[in-house]
Amino acid sequence: PVICAAGTESSNYQCVSCNAEAGYYQPSEGQSFCLTVKPGYELQKDSDGNYRVDVEPVRCATAHYSLGSAPACSVCDPAKKEYQNDRGAAYCKICAKGTVEKEGTECKGI
């Protein structure tokens, strides 16, 4: 059997890289399939800005969210009254009766 390195999966007796753009990663060696990035997480990047598929994903920053199965978190849109004051969120909160402040991390006036 083929022992594949971290960041790859076994396919037809060959090691194939996990598809970062589709939100896949594999932190362990010798695995037969890649894992999907969970909601509220994103892939880490190396010093050149490339997605790393060989390490565990990290939580989304405040003012960001991820539905999962994506390489990166998305930004909450203050123009749509969206904000998020928690890390690792799978959605943005709505600031219905106030204003979004602090780069999308606070809802004031409620």
Side-chain angles (χ1 to χ4, degrees):
V2 178
I3 305 290
C4 294
T8 64
E9 64 184 351
S10 175
S11 177
N12 296 324
Y13 301 102
Q14 294 182 346
C15 298
V16 180
S17 184
C18 298
N19 184 344
E21 292 303 318
Y24 288 101
Y25 71 101
Q26 179 49 261
S28 304
E29 70 174 31
Q31 301 302 306
S32 54
F33 57 89
C34 295
L35 304 172
T36 305
V37 176
K38 295 184 297 196
Y41 287 80
E42 67 182 346
L43 295 175
Q44 295 185 48
K45 289 186 177 182
D46 63 19
S47 58
D48 294 326
N50 299 310
Y51 292 118
R52 293 199 51 195
V53 294
D54 61 339
V55 293
E56 289 285 344
V58 293
R59 291 193 304 169
C60 294
T62 56
H64 292 73
Y65 73 99
S66 172
L67 300 175
S69 301
C73 299
S74 301
V75 180
C76 296
D77 186 352
K80 295 180 180 174
K81 292 191 158 272
E82 295 176 349
Y83 76 104
Q84 183 51 261
N85 56 344
D86 295 321
R87 292 185 44 157
Y91 59 89
C92 295
K93 298 174 182 177
I94 301 298
C95 185
K97 296 183 179 175
T99 56
V100 176
E101 296 183 6
K102 301 212 176 182
E103 278 116 31
T105 62
E106 275 190 27
C107 178
K108 289 280 188 189
I110 52 172

